Amino acid sequence: MRNQSIEELKKRIEDLEDSIFYINMIDRWTREDSELYDKYSKELRELKSLLIEEIAKN
């Protein structure tokens, strides 16, 4: 992940936010929905942290 450019990070963050949004639109979650939500949320937090670090370097 460290080798990703800022634009790649922004794109992945956008994709994750879209995925999380659509999962939130589901009325009744399955275990798979819940696991995906947790996985995507964790990755999103990590990528946002990484993006902040990258922006701070520049």
Side-chain angles (χ1 to χ4, degrees), residues 7-21:
E7 290 306 314
E8 290 171 328
L9 288 173
K10 287 180 181 179
K11 175 68 173 129
R12 180 64 181 148
I13 287 170
E14 185 178 304
D15 292 343
L16 286 169
E17 287 174 338
D18 287 345
S19 295
I20 289 169
F21 173 80

Side-chain angles (χ1 to χ4, degrees), residues 3-58:
N3 295 331
Q4 291 180 323
S5 72
I6 290 175
E7 290 306 314
E8 290 171 328
L9 288 173
K10 287 180 181 179
K11 175 68 173 129
R12 180 64 181 148
I13 287 170
E14 185 178 304
D15 292 343
L16 286 169
E17 287 174 338
D18 287 345
S19 295
I20 289 169
F21 173 80
Y22 289 115
I23 292 172
N24 277 322
M25 298 297 289
I26 299 170
D27 286 334
R28 294 179 187 211
W29 285 11
T30 63
R31 182 172 23 141
E32 182 180 298
D33 296 330
S34 182
E35 289 171 355
L36 282 175
Y37 180 86
D38 291 343
K39 176 184 171 187
Y40 292 160
S41 293
K42 180 181 178 197
E43 184 180 353
L44 182 60
R45 284 190 304 274
E46 291 170 354
L47 289 178
K48 283 183 175 182
S49 245
L50 188 56
L51 180 61
I52 290 169
E53 288 175 20
E54 291 297 320
I55 290 172
K57 286 181 190 177
N58 299 328

